[in-house]
Amino acid sequence: MDRIYSKVDPNKLLHIVVRKEDLTPGRVEVVSEDQFIQCALLNMEEGKTFKPHKHIWKDRSRAVIAQESWIVIQGSVKCIFYDIDDQIIATPILYPGDASFTLEGGHNYEIQEDNTLVYEYKTGPYEGQSLDKTFIG
């Protein structure tokens, strides 16, 4: 797992890249509990089950940022990750089973193969482009 920190603010985690090979038995927390987007890797044995549950609606009133994750199903994707000063900080390529998480900083994606399939996850709700993003360059 690659954790990409800001060069401007070295204590600020901006991006995470998880490789399929990073899967280990059990549960690995990928994104810390203080972030808006959450992810854990689960590598489980046959027969594993969980106690049935549902999640509770919460009334929250704090500033939020849209955080985004891409999980490659088929093909490959070049990620262009930006620091908080809009400078390119890393350019990893994702392959099937790999995932990226952008917590802060900018990003762009360049598809490397035809018929590339990706799951995209974002924190929501989406309130339109003007409230969600600004463009770099």
Side-chain angles (χ1 to χ4, degrees):
M1 188 172 341
D2 297 323
R3 297 183 183 276
I4 302 165
Y5 287 85
S6 170
K7 291 182 181 177
V8 175
D9 181 354
N11 294 316
K12 189 176 291 261
L13 177 61
L14 303 179
H15 310 279
I16 301 169
V17 173
V18 181
R19 304 290 179 186
K20 185 177 179 183
E21 297 78 42
D22 292 334
L23 291 169
T24 59
R27 181 183 181 107
V28 176
E29 299 298 329
V30 175
V31 180
S32 66
E33 293 177 350
D34 63 333
Q35 297 296 327
F36 298 107
I37 197 167
Q38 299 289 291
C39 181
L41 292 172
L42 304 175
N43 186 349
M44 299 168 284
E45 299 299 322
E46 181 179 352
K48 171 74 176 163
T49 189
F50 301 89
K51 189 173 184 177
H53 66 281
K54 59 184 178 181
H55 295 270
I56 301 167
W57 282 96
K58 299 175 190 101
D59 186 17
R60 295 183 177 166
S61 58
R62 62 180 181 161
V64 297
I65 187 172
Q67 296 179 327
E68 186 171 326
S69 175
W70 275 36
I71 300 171
V72 176
I73 304 303
Q74 175 178 295
S76 57
V77 176
K78 179 180 179 181
C79 302
I80 299 103
F81 291 141
Y82 293 83
D83 205 329
I84 56 177
D85 64 357
D86 297 342
Q87 298 300 306
I88 294 174
I89 194 168
T91 56
I93 296 178
L94 304 179
Y95 299 97
D98 294 346
S100 71
F101 298 85
T102 292
L103 308 176
E104 268 190 75
H107 59 259
N108 190 10
Y109 303 102
E110 187 177 286
I111 306 308
Q112 303 293 295
E113 301 175 46
D114 288 340
N115 301 310
T116 292
L117 299 174
V118 173
Y119 286 119
E120 177 188 63
Y121 296 87
K122 282 195 217 180
T123 51
Y126 182 66
E127 297 173 328
Q129 181 179 310
S130 65
L131 296 175
D132 186 61
K133 64 180 84 172
T134 59
F135 294 99
I136 298 171

